[in-house]
Amino acid sequence: MVHFRPGSQVWQLVMLLSFSGEFPFHSLSLLGSERVYKALVSRLTTLQTIRNYHSCDEITCRLLTISGKGAGKSIRLYKGALPILEWLYPGVYEYYMDSFWEHRFPGDASHRDRNHRVSEAAAMCMKAGMEARPYLLPRLQNREMLQVIPDKPCFYLAKDMKKVGETEMNKTMFTRMAGAIFSSSNCYAVYNTRDAVMKWSGMGEFKALHSLIELTRLNAGISEVDSAILFGRSGEIALRTLLESDKTRRLEFRFDSIYRHIHFIPMNGDGIRQLRLFSVPDWKAQLLELLFEPEVRSYDRGLFEYDACVDGVNILSHLDGDISRLIRFREAIENRTGQFEVLCFPHQTHFLREYLGGLASIKTIGMDSVEEELCPERRNLLER
């Protein structure tokens, strides 16, 4: 018998599938122990009796089904198990059926890849402590300025943002955006490049940004959106994305022209810990206060972008993973004399060395030290 109780691994899987539709089999490590989750998924594809922890109701069925092969291998809910969605919250069954074509998924790779991008991004946000369940978030609107967005960090799916407004907004929101994170009076557009170089949709992304700004203004009172979060498998993906950006002749189509700040977050445990920092109020300012004394900080008044000058060494903090700012830093120091340094987390060092070459030295700071100062109450959760 399988016990269905809040917080359990079975509950987390069903909850994630309730709004993402499907999840890539090879990304189960994002949810916890890959070995444990693979064994669980295998078990749940066979006939099981599942018992509701609260009501003691039971259902006997296959809970999950697996489709596809290789990188396209996908986990979905079994049709006969769909009534279990109502065990989560009232109305979840209707949301699921409306979102996923009455449980009839398109068989083409593009739809599956899109669902995988969104579900991975949602999993990252949930593991970082952000609310991502659309049926528990207030619905967005485009009629007047209201404080709709909750105070706590949350992730809105792109497909739910597309439901707001008229046809023109729906068209412009059909981009590679997976959704948007709202946290501490900031909004971040969210993209997931997975294991391939990010290919932008040109003007479509500009239109998507303006649609997001309008939604943000009307629902959160935020008038500017200049930042994005880019998820990817590894730092190598960020590096390749940067190098492809350098080859682009149409500067207005470069991703760092669309968003002035693009924070690369690897899709692994280090990335989840890094993403948690985004929930801390004024986290960027707090990071710089933690790292540098006031008298050595640049306060963005230098001739190029750096954060502090210590004993003649110009230092850039890359703890926020801002690869757009990193581009500008490298372009500024390529033909400049002096000493330069980049401060980063240990998991960022490899791609920084590859991208910067010998232009700047690299120094690291442990994530434990940062977490103890910025979010000590979460450290135990991060290490589970």
Side-chain angles (χ1 to χ4, degrees), residues 140-142 158 160-175 177 179-180 182 187 189 191 203-220 222-225 258-259:
L140 302 177
Q141 53 83 41
N142 68 337
D160 289 312
M161 294 192 292
K162 293 173 189 175
K163 296 176 184 177
V164 182
E166 303 299 328
T167 304
E168 182 59 29
M169 178 175 287
N170 289 335
K171 287 181 180 179
T172 59
M173 290 300 288
F174 276 97
T175 70
M177 190 185 296
F182 294 89
C187 175
Y191 293 84
M203 285 302 298
E205 299 303 335
F206 281 101
K207 293 179 180 178
L209 173 58
H210 290 300
S211 295
L212 179 60
I213 290 173
E214 184 64 8
L215 280 177
T216 300
R217 184 180 68 85
L218 293 175
N219 291 277
I222 301 173
S223 59
E224 182 181 20
V225 178
I258 303 172
Y259 298 99

Coordinates of all heavy atoms in Angstrom, one line a residue, residues 140-142 158 160-175 177 179-180 182 187 189 191 203-220 222-225 258-259:
L140 N -3.9 36.4 -12.1 CA -3.5 37.7 -12.6 C -4.6 38.4 -13.4 O -5.5 37.7 -13.9 CB -2.3 37.6 -13.5 CG -1.1 36.9 -12.8 CD1 0.1 36.8 -13.8 CD2 -0.6 37.7 -11.6
Q141 N -4.6 39.7 -13.5 CA -5.6 40.5 -14.2 C -5.0 41.6 -14.9 O -3.8 42.0 -14.7 CB -6.7 41.0 -13.2 CG -6.2 41.8 -12.0 CD -5.9 43.2 -12.3 OE1 -6.7 43.9 -13.0 NE2 -4.8 43.7 -11.8
N142 N -5.7 42.2 -15.9 CA -5.1 43.4 -16.6 C -6.1 44.5 -16.7 O -6.1 45.3 -17.7 CB -4.7 42.9 -18.0 CG -6.0 42.5 -18.9 OD1 -7.0 42.2 -18.3 ND2 -5.8 42.6 -20.2
A158 N 4.2 30.5 -17.4 CA 3.9 31.3 -18.6 C 2.5 31.0 -19.2 O 1.8 31.9 -19.7 CB 5.0 31.1 -19.7
D160 N -0.2 30.3 -17.8 CA -1.2 31.0 -17.0 C -1.2 32.5 -17.2 O -2.2 33.2 -17.2 CB -1.1 30.6 -15.5 CG -1.5 29.2 -15.2 OD1 -2.6 28.8 -15.7 OD2 -0.7 28.5 -14.6
M161 N 0.0 33.0 -17.5 CA 0.1 34.4 -17.8 C -0.5 34.7 -19.2 O -1.0 35.8 -19.4 CB 1.6 34.9 -17.7 CG 2.2 34.8 -16.3 SD 3.8 35.7 -16.2 CE 4.8 34.6 -17.2
K162 N -0.4 33.7 -20.1 CA -0.9 33.9 -21.4 C -2.4 34.0 -21.4 O -3.1 34.5 -22.3 CB -0.5 32.8 -22.3 CG 1.0 32.7 -22.6 CD 1.3 31.4 -23.4 CE 2.8 31.2 -23.5 NZ 3.1 29.9 -24.1
K163 N -3.1 33.5 -20.4 CA -4.5 33.5 -20.3 C -5.1 34.8 -20.0 O -6.3 35.1 -20.1 CB -5.0 32.5 -19.2 CG -4.6 31.0 -19.5 CD -5.0 30.1 -18.4 CE -4.6 28.6 -18.7 NZ -4.9 27.8 -17.5
V164 N -4.2 35.7 -19.5 CA -4.6 37.1 -19.1 C -4.6 38.0 -20.3 O -3.7 38.1 -21.1 CB -3.7 37.7 -18.0 CG1 -4.2 39.0 -17.6 CG2 -3.6 36.7 -16.9
G165 N -5.7 38.7 -20.5 CA -5.7 39.8 -21.6 C -6.2 39.3 -22.9 O -6.8 38.3 -23.1
E166 N -6.0 40.2 -23.9 CA -6.6 40.0 -25.2 C -5.6 39.2 -26.1 O -4.6 38.7 -25.7 CB -6.8 41.4 -25.9 CG -7.7 42.3 -25.0 CD -9.1 41.7 -24.8 OE1 -9.6 40.9 -25.8 OE2 -9.7 41.9 -23.8
T167 N -6.0 39.0 -27.3 CA -5.3 38.1 -28.3 C -3.9 38.6 -28.5 O -3.0 37.8 -28.6 CB -6.0 38.1 -29.6 OG1 -7.4 37.7 -29.4 CG2 -5.4 37.1 -30.6
E168 N -3.6 39.9 -28.6 CA -2.3 40.4 -28.9 C -1.3 39.9 -27.8 O -0.2 39.5 -28.1 CB -2.3 41.9 -29.0 CG -0.9 42.5 -29.4 CD -0.4 42.0 -30.7 OE1 -1.2 41.6 -31.6 OE2 0.9 41.9 -30.8
M169 N -1.7 40.0 -26.5 CA -0.9 39.6 -25.4 C -0.6 38.1 -25.5 O 0.5 37.6 -25.3 CB -1.5 39.9 -24.1 CG -0.6 39.5 -22.9 SD -1.2 40.0 -21.3 CE -0.8 41.7 -21.3
N170 N -1.6 37.3 -25.9 CA -1.4 35.9 -26.0 C -0.4 35.6 -27.0 O 0.4 34.7 -26.9 CB -2.8 35.2 -26.3 CG -3.7 35.2 -25.1 OD1 -3.3 35.3 -24.0 ND2 -5.0 35.2 -25.4
K171 N -0.4 36.3 -28.1 CA 0.6 36.1 -29.2 C 2.0 36.4 -28.7 O 2.9 35.6 -29.0 CB 0.2 36.9 -30.4 CG -1.0 36.5 -31.2 CD -1.2 37.4 -32.4 CE -2.5 36.9 -33.2 NZ -2.7 37.8 -34.3
T172 N 2.1 37.5 -28.1 CA 3.5 37.9 -27.7 C 4.1 37.0 -26.6 O 5.3 37.0 -26.4 CB 3.5 39.4 -27.2 OG1 2.6 39.6 -26.1 CG2 3.1 40.3 -28.4
M173 N 3.2 36.4 -25.8 CA 3.7 35.6 -24.7 C 4.1 34.2 -25.2 O 4.5 33.4 -24.4 CB 2.6 35.5 -23.6 CG 2.4 36.8 -22.8 SD 3.9 37.4 -22.0 CE 4.1 36.2 -20.7
F174 N 3.9 33.9 -26.5 CA 4.3 32.5 -27.0 C 5.7 32.6 -27.3 O 6.2 32.7 -28.5 CB 3.4 32.1 -28.2 CG 2.1 31.5 -27.8 CD1 1.0 32.3 -27.8 CD2 2.1 30.2 -27.5 CE1 -0.2 31.7 -27.5 CE2 0.9 29.6 -27.1 CZ -0.3 30.3 -27.1
T175 N 6.6 32.5 -26.3 CA 8.0 32.6 -26.5 C 8.6 31.4 -25.7 O 7.9 30.5 -25.3 CB 8.6 33.9 -25.9 OG1 8.4 33.9 -24.5 CG2 7.8 35.1 -26.5
M177 N 9.9 31.7 -22.8 CA 9.8 32.0 -21.4 C 9.0 30.9 -20.7 O 7.9 30.4 -21.2 CB 9.1 33.3 -21.2 CG 9.1 33.8 -19.8 SD 8.1 35.4 -19.5 CE 9.0 36.5 -20.6
G179 N 8.1 31.1 -17.4 CA 7.3 31.8 -16.4 C 8.0 33.0 -15.8 O 8.9 33.5 -16.4
A180 N 7.6 33.4 -14.6 CA 8.2 34.5 -13.9 C 8.2 34.3 -12.4 O 7.2 33.8 -11.9 CB 7.4 35.8 -14.3
F182 N 8.3 36.1 -8.8 CA 8.1 37.4 -8.0 C 8.7 37.2 -6.6 O 8.3 36.3 -5.9 CB 6.6 37.7 -8.0 CG 6.0 38.0 -9.3 CD1 5.5 37.0 -10.1 CD2 6.0 39.3 -9.8 CE1 5.0 37.3 -11.4 CE2 5.5 39.7 -11.0 CZ 5.0 38.7 -11.8
C187 N 10.7 41.2 -10.1 CA 10.2 40.2 -11.0 C 11.3 39.8 -11.9 O 12.1 40.6 -12.4 CB 9.1 40.8 -11.8 SG 8.4 39.7 -13.1
A189 N 12.0 37.3 -15.3 CA 11.5 36.4 -16.3 C 12.4 35.1 -16.2 O 13.6 35.1 -15.9 CB 11.7 37.0 -17.7
Y191 N 13.7 31.5 -17.8 CA 14.0 30.6 -19.0 C 14.7 29.4 -18.6 O 15.4 29.4 -17.6 CB 14.8 31.4 -20.1 CG 14.1 32.6 -20.7 CD1 14.1 33.8 -20.0 CD2 13.5 32.5 -21.9 CE1 13.4 34.9 -20.6 CE2 12.8 33.6 -22.5 CZ 12.8 34.8 -21.8 OH 12.1 35.8 -22.4
M203 N 12.5 39.4 -31.9 CA 11.5 40.4 -31.4 C 10.5 39.8 -30.5 O 9.9 40.5 -29.7 CB 10.9 41.1 -32.6 CG 11.8 42.1 -33.4 SD 12.3 43.4 -32.3 CE 10.8 44.2 -31.9
G204 N 10.2 38.5 -30.7 CA 9.2 37.9 -29.8 C 9.6 38.0 -28.3 O 8.7 38.2 -27.5
E205 N 10.9 38.0 -28.0 CA 11.2 38.1 -26.6 C 11.1 39.6 -26.1 O 10.8 39.8 -24.9 CB 12.7 37.6 -26.4 CG 12.9 36.2 -26.7 CD 12.0 35.2 -26.0 OE1 11.6 35.6 -24.8 OE2 11.7 34.1 -26.5
F206 N 11.3 40.5 -27.0 CA 11.1 41.9 -26.7 C 9.6 42.2 -26.3 O 9.3 42.8 -25.3 CB 11.5 42.9 -27.8 CG 13.0 43.1 -27.9 CD1 13.8 42.4 -28.8 CD2 13.7 44.0 -27.0 CE1 15.1 42.6 -28.9 CE2 15.0 44.2 -27.1 CZ 15.8 43.5 -28.0
K207 N 8.7 41.6 -27.2 CA 7.3 41.8 -27.0 C 6.9 41.0 -25.7 O 6.0 41.5 -24.9 CB 6.5 41.2 -28.2 CG 6.7 42.0 -29.4 CD 5.9 41.4 -30.6 CE 6.1 42.2 -31.9 NZ 5.4 41.6 -33.0
A208 N 7.5 39.9 -25.4 CA 7.2 39.1 -24.2 C 7.6 39.9 -23.0 O 6.8 40.0 -22.0 CB 7.9 37.8 -24.2
L209 N 8.7 40.6 -23.1 CA 9.2 41.4 -21.9 C 8.2 42.5 -21.7 O 7.8 42.8 -20.5 CB 10.6 42.0 -22.2 CG 11.1 43.0 -21.2 CD1 11.1 42.4 -19.8 CD2 12.5 43.5 -21.6
H210 N 7.7 43.2 -22.7 CA 6.8 44.3 -22.5 C 5.4 43.8 -22.0 O 4.8 44.5 -21.1 CB 6.6 45.1 -23.8 CG 7.8 45.9 -24.2 ND1 8.4 46.9 -23.4 CD2 8.6 45.8 -25.3 CE1 9.4 47.4 -24.0 NE2 9.6 46.7 -25.2
S211 N 5.0 42.7 -22.4 CA 3.8 42.1 -21.8 C 4.0 41.8 -20.4 O 3.1 42.0 -19.5 CB 3.4 40.8 -22.6 OG 3.1 41.1 -23.9
L212 N 5.1 41.2 -20.0 CA 5.4 40.9 -18.6 C 5.5 42.2 -17.8 O 5.0 42.2 -16.6 CB 6.8 40.1 -18.5 CG 7.2 39.7 -17.1 CD1 6.2 38.9 -16.4 CD2 8.6 39.0 -17.2
I213 N 6.1 43.2 -18.3 CA 6.2 44.5 -17.6 C 4.8 45.0 -17.3 O 4.5 45.5 -16.2 CB 7.0 45.5 -18.4 CG1 8.5 45.2 -18.4 CG2 6.8 46.9 -17.8 CD1 9.3 46.0 -19.3
E214 N 3.9 44.9 -18.3 CA 2.5 45.4 -18.1 C 1.8 44.6 -17.0 O 1.1 45.1 -16.1 CB 1.7 45.3 -19.4 CG 0.3 45.9 -19.3 CD 0.2 47.4 -19.0 OE1 1.3 48.1 -19.0 OE2 -0.9 47.9 -18.8
L215 N 1.9 43.2 -17.1 CA 1.3 42.4 -16.1 C 1.8 42.7 -14.7 O 1.1 42.7 -13.7 CB 1.5 40.9 -16.4 CG 0.6 40.3 -17.5 CD1 1.0 38.8 -17.7 CD2 -0.8 40.3 -17.0
T216 N 3.1 42.9 -14.6 CA 3.8 43.2 -13.3 C 3.4 44.5 -12.8 O 3.1 44.6 -11.6 CB 5.3 43.1 -13.5 OG1 5.7 41.9 -14.0 CG2 6.1 43.4 -12.2
R217 N 3.2 45.5 -13.6 CA 2.8 46.8 -13.2 C 1.4 46.8 -12.6 O 1.1 47.4 -11.6 CB 2.8 47.8 -14.4 CG 2.5 49.2 -14.0 CD 2.6 50.1 -15.2 NE 1.5 49.8 -16.2 CZ 0.3 50.3 -16.1 NH1 -0.1 51.2 -15.1 NH2 -0.7 50.0 -17.0
L218 N 0.5 46.0 -13.3 CA -0.9 46.0 -12.8 C -1.1 45.1 -11.6 O -2.1 45.2 -10.9 CB -1.8 45.5 -14.0 CG -1.9 46.5 -15.2 CD1 -2.7 45.9 -16.3 CD2 -2.5 47.8 -14.7
N219 N -0.3 44.1 -11.4 CA -0.5 43.1 -10.4 C 0.4 43.1 -9.2 O 0.2 42.5 -8.2 CB -0.5 41.7 -11.0 CG -1.6 41.4 -12.0 OD1 -2.7 41.0 -11.5 ND2 -1.4 41.6 -13.3
A220 N 1.6 43.8 -9.4 CA 2.5 43.9 -8.3 C 3.0 45.3 -8.0 O 3.8 45.5 -7.1 CB 3.7 43.0 -8.6
I222 N 5.1 46.9 -9.8 CA 6.5 47.0 -10.2 C 6.6 47.5 -11.6 O 6.0 47.0 -12.5 CB 7.2 45.6 -10.1 CG1 7.1 45.0 -8.7 CG2 8.6 45.6 -10.6 CD1 7.6 43.6 -8.6
S223 N 7.3 48.6 -11.8 CA 7.3 49.3 -13.1 C 8.4 48.9 -14.0 O 8.4 49.2 -15.2 CB 7.3 50.8 -12.9 OG 8.5 51.2 -12.2
E224 N 9.4 48.2 -13.5 CA 10.5 47.8 -14.4 C 10.9 46.3 -14.2 O 10.9 45.8 -13.1 CB 11.7 48.7 -14.0 CG 13.0 48.4 -14.9 CD 14.2 49.2 -14.5 OE1 14.2 49.8 -13.3 OE2 15.1 49.4 -15.3
V225 N 11.1 45.7 -15.3 CA 11.6 44.3 -15.3 C 12.9 44.3 -16.2 O 12.8 44.4 -17.4 CB 10.6 43.3 -15.8 CG1 11.2 41.9 -15.8 CG2 9.3 43.3 -15.0
I258 N 18.1 42.3 -24.3 CA 16.7 42.2 -23.8 C 16.6 42.4 -22.3 O 15.8 43.1 -21.8 CB 16.1 40.8 -24.2 CG1 16.3 40.6 -25.8 CG2 14.7 40.7 -23.8 CD1 15.9 39.2 -26.2
Y259 N 17.5 41.7 -21.6 CA 17.6 41.8 -20.1 C 19.0 42.3 -19.7 O 19.9 41.6 -20.1 CB 17.2 40.5 -19.5 CG 15.9 40.0 -19.8 CD1 15.7 39.0 -20.8 CD2 14.7 40.4 -19.1 CE1 14.4 38.5 -21.1 CE2 13.5 40.0 -19.4 CZ 13.3 39.0 -20.4 OH 12.1 38.5 -20.7

